[in-house]
């Protein structure tokens, strides 16, 4: 599950009217809400419940979320199949979270629904490692030890050999390699850059660690495999019923804060990021020495079974914490009834700049989904150890927490457009770096800019939306769903197909090039928009001057 704690705030502000937030029942909170002024204050019981919920909820996902792709890789799930699982998960969450939350609010069953949601997540992830996984791909059944020619296999890709050879034949005839490249480079016809070289000597040295890294239908489960279909079914059902958990927790938190303190939501949700980072590192480092033999390749793989058990334990604690939530019955929102037709029309007046902005949001969500799904997969193919995966998760969360602390000052100093520019540039840097870097431990330094591509970019989106006076309400709901729902799903699905067909290096390379295109489009749109705004101001001032002269 992706950590989008701040995203839900924007979507939830539309569910509660201002009058409802101001008149919080003191019998629910037990104290005056203004007593809690700090991130760690325990004077407000309801805010303490929210802090503990975010802590245990995201700590639980920190046990499995970073390493789920690696576990699926060990049981022979292909990149395309992994992308389908991620996309279905995100899309189901995008559809059912608002539906079930609205139904729970309508029938005043929000506490019951959030408890069911927590149990659904628990059952979903605890069930996965117990699914029968004795099924093996055809290559394992035909040969006890698959034999491959290391000279023909790119070290750090998952590319089918037949597809790669066909691509080379076409591309080399159109774009012959430079004289200093030799035959170790391959070139994608649609790519702006040459892909990384194939180090044949290094491939031979690491032959054992990349035995099954080639995406071949014979080395992965089929799309009709009972194991793959069972995982897909369990994840789908689990996320249908579990999707409203965070949404309802956010509603309870915002009700406790009141309208004058909604900006303090981040202080409550911050416990989620802290828990996610620390637990993912501790659990990941703990299982780094737990090994089990791969039934197909014979290599020693990390045993991720304890991660699922820790998830179940933390979620059970989260379940008991959730019983402390107190939801207030929402009254009918009269603001919609009193809304004039002119106001409704203005809110539906979507500009071209808003459409381009949504495209940028969609791409950033896709980029986040692709990195979150296949970054550790890529590092694993390079021979990275389990301890490194734990450090990557820790660096990501630390950078995210730090940027969230300074995001307000950053956006105020640079402006939201420049922060989005910076975020897209950093996304491009990350993609190109991932594509060309071949040393697993050298991935750690680049993870320090994760905070810019996540926390800073999301904060800029929030400010961008708040400054669009005509479409604020519309964009608030759309941005959250597009980024964490449709965007993340598209990133997992498209990324899975690219990794399956072209390999991880080429997939990161193509995402980096797409990032440059989106950046140029956004800059050009803003330049045109600024010129148009200046022209409108000048024409308005001229018309006012002419009117004064006539008078």
């Amino acid at each position: 599950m992706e950590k989008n704690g701040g995203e839900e705030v924007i979507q939830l502000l539309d569910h509660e009217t201002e009058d409802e937030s101001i008149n919080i029942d003191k019998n629910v909170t037990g104290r005056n809400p203004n007593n809690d002024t700090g991130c760690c204050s325990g004077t407000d019981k309801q805010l303490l419940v929210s802090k503990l919920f975010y802590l245990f909820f995201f700590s639980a996902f920190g046990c499995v979320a970073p390493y789920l792709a690696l576990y699926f890789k060990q049981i022979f799930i292909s990149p395309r199949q992994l992308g389908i699982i991620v996309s279905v998960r995100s899309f189901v969450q995008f559809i059912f979270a608002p539906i079930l939350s609205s139904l729970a609010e309508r029938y005043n069953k929000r506490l019951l629904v959030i408890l069911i949601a927590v149990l659904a997540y628990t059952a979903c992830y605890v069930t996965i490692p117990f699914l029968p996984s004795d099924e093996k791909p055809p290559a394992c059944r035909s040969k006890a030890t698959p034999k491959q020619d290391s000279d023909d296999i790119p070290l750090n890709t998952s590319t089918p050999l037949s597809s790669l050879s066909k691509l080379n034949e076409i591309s080399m005839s159109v774009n012959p390699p430079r004289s200093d490249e030799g035959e170790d480079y391959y070139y994608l016809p649609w790519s702006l850059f040459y892909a990384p070289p194939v180090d044949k000597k290094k491939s031979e040295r690491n032959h054992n660690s990349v035995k099954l890294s080639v995406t071949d239908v014979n080395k992965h489960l089929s799309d009709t495999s009972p194991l793959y279909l069972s995982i897909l079914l369990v994840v789908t059902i689990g996320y249908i019923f579990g999707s409203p958990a965070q949404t309802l927790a956010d509603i309870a938190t915002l009700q406790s804060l009141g309208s004058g303190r909604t900006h303090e939501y981040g202080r409550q949700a911050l416990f989620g990021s802290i828990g996610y980072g620390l637990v993912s590192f501790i659990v990941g480092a703990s299982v780094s020495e737990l090994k089990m033999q791969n039934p197909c390749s014979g290599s020693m793989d990390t045993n991720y079974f304890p991660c699922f058990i820790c998830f179940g334990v933390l979620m059970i604690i989260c379940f008991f914490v959730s019983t402390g939530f107190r939801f207030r019955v929402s009254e009918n929102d009269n603001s919609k009834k009193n809304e004039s037709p002119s106001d409704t029309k203005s809110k539906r007046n979507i500009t071209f700049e808003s459409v381009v902005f949504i495209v940028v949001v969609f791409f950033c969500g896709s980029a986040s989904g692709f990195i979150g799904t296949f970054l550790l997969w890529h590092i694993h193919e390079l021979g990275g150890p389990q301890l490194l995966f734990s450090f990557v998760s820790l660096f990501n969360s630390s950078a995210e927490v730090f940027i969230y602390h300074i995001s307000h000052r950053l956006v105020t100093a640079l402006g939201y457009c420049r922060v989005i520019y910076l975020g897209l540039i950093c996304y491009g840097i990350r993609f190109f770096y991932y594509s060309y870097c071949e040393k697993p431990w050298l991935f750690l330094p680049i993870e320090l800019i994760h905070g810019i591509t996540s926390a800073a970019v999301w904060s800029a989106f929030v400010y961008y939306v708040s400054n669009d006076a005509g479409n604020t309400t519309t964009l608030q709901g759309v941005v959250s769903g597009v980024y964490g729902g449709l965007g993340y799903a598209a990133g997992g699905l498209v990324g899975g197909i690219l990794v399956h067909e072209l390999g991880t290096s080429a997939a990161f390379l193509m995402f980096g090039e797409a990032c440059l295109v989106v950046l140029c489009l956004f800059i050009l749109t803003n330049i045109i928009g600024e010129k148009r705004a200046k022209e409108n101001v000048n024409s308005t001032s001229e018309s006012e001057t002419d009117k004064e002269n006539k008078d």
Side-chain angles (χ1 to χ4, degrees):
M1 178 178 183
E2 56 276 16
K3 307 190 301 300
N4 296 326
E7 299 168 20
E8 297 294 338
V9 182
I10 300 303
Q11 188 176 11
L12 293 169
L13 288 179
D14 292 336
H15 290 288
E16 303 295 333
T17 62
E18 184 175 356
D19 293 337
E20 290 175 340
S21 300
I22 293 176
N23 299 320
I24 294 181
D25 188 353
K26 292 184 180 180
N27 294 327
V28 173
T29 60
R31 299 182 62 91
N32 190 324
N34 294 325
N35 287 346
D36 185 55
T37 58
C39 141
C40 298
S41 175
T43 58
D44 192 319
K45 180 181 178 181
Q46 287 308 300
L47 291 183
L48 177 60
V49 172
S50 297
K51 292 180 177 72
L52 291 176
F53 175 86
Y54 292 126
L55 176 65
F56 289 108
F57 185 78
F58 286 105
S59 294
F61 278 98
C63 295
V64 297
Y67 315 117
L68 196 59
L70 300 175
Y71 172 76
F72 286 153
K73 190 173 189 290
Q74 290 180 359
I75 59 176
F76 314 113
I77 296 295
S78 70
R80 185 183 66 246
Q81 292 168 345
L82 175 59
I84 293 174
I85 293 173
V86 171
S87 62
V88 169
R89 181 187 69 186
S90 300
F91 186 74
V92 165
Q93 193 171 14
F94 169 70
I95 296 296
F96 284 93
I99 293 176
L100 295 181
S101 299
S102 299
L103 291 176
E105 182 178 2
R106 179 178 180 181
Y107 295 102
N108 193 26
K109 298 293 183 181
R110 285 178 287 190
L111 180 59
L112 176 62
V113 172
I114 193 173
L115 294 177
I116 294 175
V118 173
L119 290 179
Y121 276 136
T122 306
C124 171
Y125 281 98
V126 172
T127 300
I128 289 177
F130 289 99
L131 294 175
S133 57
D134 295 334
E135 186 177 0
K136 298 179 182 180
C140 295
R141 295 195 297 266
S142 59
K143 296 182 180 180
T145 304
K147 187 176 180 181
Q148 298 173 347
D149 187 0
S150 60
D151 291 345
D152 296 330
I153 302 176
L155 174 66
N156 58 347
T157 70
S158 299
T159 310
L161 300 182
S162 58
S163 300
L164 179 61
S165 60
K166 292 178 181 178
L167 279 175
N168 280 339
E169 291 178 3
I170 299 174
S171 60
M172 295 291 282
S173 62
V174 179
N175 303 288
R178 297 189 296 269
S179 58
D180 59 335
E181 291 171 356
E183 298 179 354
D184 289 342
Y185 284 80
Y186 61 92
Y187 186 83
L188 304 178
W190 56 85
S191 177
L192 300 177
F193 304 98
Y194 281 78
V198 178
D199 190 340
K200 296 181 180 179
K201 294 182 179 179
K202 187 174 181 181
S203 176
E204 293 175 358
R205 290 198 305 269
N206 296 278
H207 178 64
N208 292 332
S209 63
V210 294
K211 274 184 178 180
L212 297 177
S213 64
V214 176
T215 302
D216 187 340
V217 293
N218 293 322
K219 298 178 178 64
H220 291 279
L221 300 179
S222 66
D223 292 338
T224 58
S225 164
L227 176 59
Y228 166 64
L229 295 178
S230 298
I231 292 175
L232 192 61
L233 179 63
V234 168
V235 170
T236 302
I237 296 176
Y239 271 79
I240 287 177
F241 293 100
S243 57
Q246 186 183 350
T247 303
L248 295 176
D250 288 342
I251 290 177
T253 303
L254 290 173
Q255 286 182 346
S256 300
L257 287 171
S259 62
R261 301 171 61 206
T262 54
H263 62 281
E264 296 182 17
Y265 167 86
R267 294 183 180 180
Q268 323 306 319
L270 184 63
F271 281 78
S273 296
I274 295 174
Y276 186 96
L278 290 178
V279 173
S280 63
F281 173 76
I282 294 172
V283 174
S286 300
V287 301
S288 61
E289 297 301 325
L290 300 178
K291 301 295 182 180
M292 57 183 298
Q293 188 175 24
N294 189 297
C296 184
S297 65
S299 62
M300 299 303 294
D301 294 336
T302 301
N303 185 2
Y304 290 108
F305 182 78
C307 296
F308 294 95
I309 300 302
C310 291
F311 176 91
V313 172
L314 291 173
M315 269 297 181
I316 292 299
I317 298 176
C318 182
F319 173 83
F320 288 107
V321 171
S322 301
T323 59
F325 279 124
R326 295 295 179 267
F327 295 94
R328 182 172 41 78
V329 179
S330 299
E331 299 176 0
N332 293 330
D333 188 0
N334 295 324
S335 61
K336 294 182 179 180
K337 297 179 181 179
N338 298 329
E339 190 177 62
S340 63
S342 59
D343 293 335
T344 304
K345 184 177 180 179
S346 64
K347 289 183 179 181
R348 294 178 181 175
N349 184 23
I350 304 300
T351 63
F352 176 74
E353 288 80 3
S354 299
V355 174
V356 175
F357 170 70
I358 294 300
V359 171
V360 174
V361 173
F362 177 81
F363 175 80
C364 290
S366 301
S368 176
F370 177 56
I371 292 176
T373 305
F374 289 102
L375 175 59
L376 296 186
W377 181 295
H378 178 54
I379 298 177
H380 183 268
E381 289 188 340
L382 292 174
Q386 172 61 33
L387 184 61
L388 173 59
F389 306 149
S390 304
F391 275 109
V392 168
S393 181
L394 180 63
F395 274 44
N396 284 345
S397 298
S398 300
E400 191 173 295
V401 170
F402 173 74
I403 294 298
Y404 267 127
H405 272 296
I406 66 171
S407 60
H408 177 72
R409 285 176 287 179
L410 183 65
V411 175
T412 303
L414 299 180
Y416 48 81
C417 282
R418 291 187 179 90
V419 173
I420 296 176
Y421 297 158
L422 179 62
L424 289 172
I425 292 173
C426 289
Y427 262 127
I429 293 174
R430 292 181 73 183
F431 284 130
F432 290 127
Y433 189 92
Y434 295 154
S435 180
Y436 285 89
C437 181
E438 295 183 351
K439 304 289 185 180
W441 284 96
L442 291 183
F443 279 77
L444 282 181
I446 198 66
E447 293 308 301
L448 294 175
I449 66 174
H450 168 78
I452 298 178
T453 58
S454 60
V457 167
W458 178 252
S459 299
F461 289 161
V462 173
Y463 278 86
Y464 192 102
V465 170
S466 63
N467 280 271
D468 193 328
N471 301 303
T472 302
T473 304
T474 303
L475 286 176
Q476 280 177 345
V478 171
V479 166
S480 179
V482 169
Y483 183 87
L486 295 180
Y488 202 94
L493 180 60
V494 176
I497 295 175
L498 291 176
V499 171
H500 189 93
E501 297 296 334
L502 300 173
T504 51
S505 294
F508 279 118
L509 185 65
M510 295 181 66
F511 264 87
E513 293 166 1
C515 186
L516 296 181
V517 174
V518 173
L519 174 62
C520 293
L521 175 64
F522 190 53
I523 293 176
L524 183 61
T525 301
N526 287 330
I527 291 175
I528 296 175
E530 290 176 359
K531 289 184 178 180
R532 188 182 303 169
K534 290 180 180 179
E535 291 176 356
N536 292 336
V537 171
N538 293 334
S539 61
T540 303
S541 60
E542 290 177 359
S543 61
E544 291 178 355
T545 303
D546 294 340
K547 187 179 294 185
E548 291 177 358
N549 293 334
K550 290 180 180 179
D551 295 340

